[in-house]
Amino acid sequence: MTSISSTLFQPSSPSLTHRKLHRSSSIRCCEDTVGRPRVQFKHQETNGLATFPEKNLNTVKLPPRPRRIILVRHGQSEGNVDESVYTRVADNKIGVTDRGVVEAEECGKRIRKMIEKDGAADWKVYFYVSPYRRTLATVRNLAKAFERSRIAGWREEPRLREQDFGNFQDREQMRIQKAVRSLYGRFFYRFPNGESAADVYDRITGFRETLRSDIDIGRFQPPGEQSPNMNLVIVSHGLTLRVFLMRWYKWTVEQFEGLHNMGNGNMIVMEKGYGGRYSLLMHHTEEELREFGLTDEMLSDQEWQKMAKPGELNYDSMMTGPSFFTHFDDEKEA
């Protein structure tokens, strides 16, 4: 599968032309209220608030949202070099190669360089990582670019694991299964004793809700030390990260199937825009995102994300707006 460029993506210009972008709205959607307080009624039960004061959003100042969510694919693994490894080693136990170690180290250096360009003194990183051996090795080597004082913490997250392809794999059967998958459709095809990308979508939805909750309560730093210069790093696998982006930005199945894999030890950056939402165009150029597989409609939405506030809805979206219903003939109805 085509890999997105391994070079460090450069941030796009804030003056990039906006396409029918920002229609301000006071409407709030429960799906998009990351970083926004939930409504609490005067007589609402307060069970647990004394123990967990961060839950009481009426009295506790809402923590700042992290500056970035950085998605990193693991460094080159033994399975990337020799697929026969899967026939004798469990997928979760496959490690990284020497090249994979270098890729992880270089990725860490690029992340640090990107963060330091902000000019903030109090920046930190927090890691979410798949429990597979190759992702754990990647985060350990990636973290060499940071002093211990810059690392706010980490969490092993099983929902970030690779798509399950079954247990020990038979090379010939896997070749056949992948050929059938290309005919059936990459998103819905389920490997025998394994998962489809749709199954991965379901567990990533659960992880996304955990991530939203962590952001809402500022779990990454103690109260009084919470900074807007926190950077979240999610170290996972190619398909899992594409599904994460699909879920976050509400891309369609067809749009997902047009995406390409990231290269090993590479990253995609979701950076907080001018209104508070996360946009890929805050860091990446249009050309880089087109190489990754984004269409005109997806790029237009990313432009909107640059300016919009959490909770606002993109009523001009070509993906979720009324433009889908092209079979309606409004003029005849009128």
Side-chain angles (χ1 to χ4, degrees):
M1 183 177 290
T2 305
S3 295
I4 194 168
S5 172
S6 61
T7 59
L8 174 63
F9 297 138
Q10 300 298 321
S12 58
S13 169
S15 61
L16 195 64
T17 302
H18 302 296
R19 304 180 185 84
K20 295 198 312 180
L21 293 182
H22 188 55
R23 180 180 297 178
S24 180
S25 171
S26 61
I27 294 178
R28 293 290 180 264
C29 173
C30 60
E31 180 74 11
D32 296 310
T33 52
V34 179
R36 294 289 179 180
R38 307 307 197 263
V39 175
Q40 290 192 355
F41 300 101
K42 289 183 179 180
H43 302 293
Q44 182 175 351
E45 182 181 349
T46 58
N47 181 41
L49 294 184
T51 307
F52 301 101
E54 69 272 17
K55 291 184 179 180
N56 190 346
L57 298 178
N58 284 332
T59 60
V60 177
K61 183 179 179 180
L62 199 68
R65 305 182 81 195
R67 187 177 184 90
R68 298 179 183 87
I69 302 175
I70 304 166
L71 310 182
V72 175
R73 185 185 177 198
H74 62 80
Q76 184 189 69
S77 73
E78 297 162 348
N80 294 137
V81 176
D82 179 11
E83 288 189 349
S84 69
V85 171
Y86 293 103
T87 66
R88 58 183 183 273
V89 180
D91 195 0
N92 66 295
K93 295 181 180 179
I94 292 176
V96 295
T97 63
D98 291 342
R99 177 179 171 180
V101 170
V102 173
E103 289 172 339
E105 292 174 345
E106 292 300 315
C107 184
K109 293 175 183 177
R110 294 199 301 272
I111 291 174
R112 178 165 189 143
K113 183 177 179 181
M114 173 180 62
I115 294 173
E116 288 181 335
K117 285 184 178 180
D118 299 336
D122 62 344
W123 63 267
K124 288 192 176 185
V125 292
Y126 185 98
F127 298 99
Y128 292 89
V129 59
S130 158
Y132 280 30
R133 182 173 293 174
R134 54 188 179 271
T135 43
L136 292 171
T138 297
V139 78
R140 289 193 184 101
N141 288 287
L142 184 154
K144 292 177 182 177
F146 308 98
E147 297 84 8
R148 191 181 298 270
S149 61
R150 293 291 187 182
I151 301 175
W154 80 290
R155 183 188 304 176
E156 181 178 285
E157 177 50 73
R159 289 171 293 184
L160 289 173
R161 69 187 184 274
E162 173 66 291
Q163 177 183 8
D164 291 333
F165 297 103
N167 297 313
F168 292 105
Q169 299 171 20
D170 180 277
R171 293 186 71 181
E172 180 61 21
Q173 280 301 313
M174 284 303 295
R175 184 188 67 79
I176 295 172
Q177 295 296 336
K178 288 182 178 180
V180 174
R181 179 181 64 173
S182 66
L183 295 174
Y184 192 91
R186 298 184 63 86
F187 187 75
F188 292 111
Y189 182 78
R190 178 179 288 116
F191 287 92
N193 301 313
E195 289 182 305
S196 65
D199 295 322
V200 179
Y201 184 98
D202 291 341
R203 58 176 160 87
I204 284 297
T205 295
F207 168 71
R208 179 182 179 274
E209 295 308 303
T210 298
L211 182 62
R212 289 176 64 242
S213 175
D214 286 352
I215 290 174
D216 275 348
I217 67 174
R219 191 180 295 279
F220 317 110
Q221 292 173 291
E225 300 178 20
Q226 293 163 342
S227 166
N229 298 305
M230 175 61 64
N231 296 268
L232 306 184
V233 183
I234 298 176
V235 182
S236 185
H237 309 263
L239 180 135
T240 307
L241 294 174
R242 281 178 280 144
V243 169
F244 177 88
L245 288 167
M246 175 193 184
R247 179 63 184 86
W248 188 281
Y249 291 116
K250 303 177 180 63
W251 293 340
T252 66
V253 171
E254 181 179 4
Q255 288 167 336
F256 166 82
E257 293 190 339
L259 298 176
H260 303 299
N261 220 0
M262 285 189 284
N264 292 114
N266 211 340
M267 63 181 179
I268 291 285
V269 180
M270 303 164 60
E271 186 168 323
K272 191 164 61 175
Y274 306 110
R277 294 178 76 109
Y278 293 99
S279 171
L280 300 176
L281 278 171
M282 289 299 296
H283 178 81
H284 302 290
T285 65
E286 284 197 33
E287 290 72 24
E288 288 166 341
L289 295 179
R290 287 187 188 278
E291 182 183 349
F292 183 48
L294 269 69
T295 63
D296 288 341
E297 292 80 8
M298 296 160 80
L299 287 168
S300 179
D301 183 65
Q302 290 300 314
E303 286 279 9
W304 178 85
Q305 300 279 351
K306 287 174 65 174
M307 306 300 296
K309 298 178 182 179
E312 291 183 335
L313 304 178
N314 185 2
Y315 292 103
D316 292 328
S317 172
M318 296 295 291
M319 298 183 295
T320 59
S323 59
F324 171 79
F325 299 96
T326 56
H327 57 291
F328 287 4
D329 191 337
D330 294 336
E331 292 184 3
K332 287 184 178 180
E333 291 179 1

